[in-house]
Amino acid sequence: MSTAAPHIDPATPPIGPGRLVLAVGPSGGGKDSVLRHARIDCAGDPSIVFPRRAVTRPANSDEDHESIDEAQFDAALRAGAFALAWQAHGLCYGIPRAINDDIRLGRTVVCNVSRGIIRSARKCYVHTTCVLITAPEDILAARLSARARVSDGSIAARLERNDIYFDISADVVIDNVGNIDHAVQTFVSILRRSTKA
């Protein structure tokens, strides 16, 4: 990726009338698990879309993403293939540009993104809901240790990164502790809200 700054596809005026739901939170917060269950719960609803991210990391069972290398990612970025793109933890992430069409058609698009692009994304879309999925630090550390994914790097570094985003402007906070069902139900209820509510 040619720049370390978050890249947001410029859009004037902001895109609507659909809604962009940003799932954010610290590593170990359980975003991927909540999204995986929510995708199953919403499978019969064509108005809710879960696009696949492009990530410069090999595919794994934790997340359904398109695995590409850095050269492919940079070429796609230059070609305007991403609506949202950023770097984190030494990896590059991109959300396909097709989400703009879904939002123009009135759909709700659900994306797992970096907390670092929230403010920029809000400027590009008429209706943006930011959902912070998190847990106490001891639980985050335990989950990261149990996951032991090589691409995660240092657990301490991941936990320290939370200090950068202590004041993010989340619309809803979900404490993902204990049984995941409560977190999933809360998240799905957010997805099913109308933009007119």
Side-chain angles (χ1 to χ4, degrees):
M1 190 171 177
S2 58
T3 175
H7 170 84
I8 303 294
D9 183 33
T12 305
I15 298 172
R19 183 166 53 125
L20 177 65
V21 176
L22 304 175
V24 304
S27 297
K31 297 184 302 296
D32 289 332
S33 295
V34 170
L35 285 168
R36 184 165 55 249
H37 286 281
R39 186 183 297 111
I40 293 170
D41 284 2
C42 299
D45 188 343
S47 71
I48 302 176
V49 180
F50 294 81
R52 293 178 76 219
R53 303 193 299 184
V55 186
T56 55
R57 174 175 63 205
N60 59 69
S61 60
D62 295 323
E63 180 194 4
D64 178 26
H65 68 267
E66 178 187 356
S67 179
I68 63 176
D69 62 32
E70 290 187 15
Q72 292 171 318
F73 188 97
D74 202 46
L77 182 65
R78 290 195 307 270
F82 301 126
L84 306 169
W86 66 95
Q87 287 182 324
H89 312 300
L91 300 170
C92 299
Y93 299 79
I95 303 294
R97 187 183 180 88
I99 71 166
N100 292 345
D101 294 329
D102 286 316
I103 291 174
R104 288 187 181 103
L105 290 171
R107 298 182 180 121
T108 292
V109 173
V110 190
C111 299
N112 178 354
V113 304
S114 166
R115 290 163 283 181
I117 67 168
I118 296 170
R119 290 184 179 87
S120 298
R122 287 190 190 278
K123 295 177 182 177
C124 294
Y125 300 93
V126 176
H127 302 290
T128 304
T129 302
C130 177
V131 182
L132 173 64
I133 300 173
T134 189
E137 187 168 298
D138 60 328
I139 293 178
L140 298 178
R143 288 174 179 169
L144 288 173
S145 178
R147 186 166 73 186
R149 195 166 61 192
V150 174
S151 62
D152 280 349
S154 165
I155 292 176
R158 287 219 164 203
L159 294 175
E160 287 173 7
R161 190 168 183 264
N162 296 333
D163 295 337
I164 301 173
Y165 299 114
F166 73 93
D167 63 343
I168 68 166
S169 54
D171 299 298
V172 181
V173 177
I174 297 176
D175 289 315
N176 184 23
V177 295
N179 192 317
I180 195 174
D181 289 347
H182 175 70
V184 173
Q185 290 169 7
T186 302
F187 189 69
V188 170
S189 71
I190 293 165
L191 303 185
R192 289 180 171 152
R193 290 178 191 166
S194 168
T195 58
K196 299 177 181 179

